[in-house]
Amino acid sequence: MNIIVLGPPGAGKGTQARILVEERRMAQLSTGDMLRDARRSGSAIGRTVAEVMDRGDLVTDGIVIDIIRERLENDGSPGGYIFDGFPRTLAQADALGELLDDLGFRLDAVVEMRVNDDALVRRISARSTCAGCGEVYNDHTRPIPEDGRCERCGGTDFRRRADDNDESLRTRLMAYYKQTSPLIGYYHAKGVLRPVNGLRDIDGVANEIRLALD
Ligand code: AMP
């Protein structure tokens, strides 16, 4: 099964994608994570995208399409793929459609996580990530364990993302509404859109997604 997780920043796309990875042995392809890895490695791409990402704007379509193409052509995943944070523009959606066609893969569903802006701002300002494994914590709903160790990998280094600040968040939300939200109509027209209520707690959203996919 191949699916896209679509939604604004802070909707919980990454958290739900990780649950699907565990339950269905799918591979998570998060362009945000890949771009952050590229920055950490100090590669040419990483240097090109750093400023754009910190500002909260979208990276050029060609860069993310190339990264996704490279992964799809080289790393197999028998359980299929979860596209997390990709596509984010109509051009990216068209490119993904062509790539999947070329490889003989089908797009089974697009899970649209619906969350209002107040909740996004609250979630993002409380968010921290384990530097070791990328597990996401939230000061209110899922605090870092009392012993200070990540539940997943035992790591002790937790960080706030550089773009999780008020100004970048405003830019990221605007980018979502202007450039990404047209994909809701695009996938609705293809008959694959599956809206879920992203305001529920993590398990509640995971259940809605199970129902939407099975
Ligand atoms: P994310 O982790 O998905 O919130 O992505 C963090 C940042 O990486 C975004 O604000 C963009 O600057 C960049 N980015 C991630 N995925 C894409 C994409 N599909 N298209 C353009 N820019 C992206």
Side-chain angles (χ1 to χ4, degrees), residues 26-37:
M26 297 170 83
Q28 176 187 8
L29 296 184
S30 158
T31 41
D33 286 349
M34 293 176 203
L35 292 169
R36 279 184 288 278
D37 286 346

Side-chain angles (χ1 to χ4, degrees), residues 9 13 30-33 35-36 52-53 56-61 64 84-88 92 127 161 163 172:
K13 301 185 294 290
S30 158
T31 41
D33 286 349
L35 292 169
R36 279 184 288 278
V52 177
M53 288 178 75
D57 282 322
L58 294 189
V59 167
T60 322
D61 287 333
V64 282
D84 162 13
F86 178 90
R88 259 177 156 99
Q92 291 179 22
R127 167 159 88 173
R161 273 172 50 170
D163 58 352
R172 285 155 70 203

Side-chain angles (χ1 to χ4, degrees), residues 126-168:
R127 167 159 88 173
S128 52
T129 307
C130 169
C133 71
E135 193 72 356
V136 179
Y137 293 89
N138 179 291
D139 299 344
H140 311 303
T141 55
R142 192 186 176 210
I144 293 163
E146 277 183 16
D147 64 1
R149 294 191 167 276
C150 173
E151 280 170 18
R152 197 156 192 257
C153 74
T156 53
D157 184 7
F158 299 93
R159 300 192 183 165
R160 302 258 182 214
R161 273 172 50 170
D163 58 352
D164 278 353
N165 61 70
D166 285 354
E167 204 174 320
S168 300

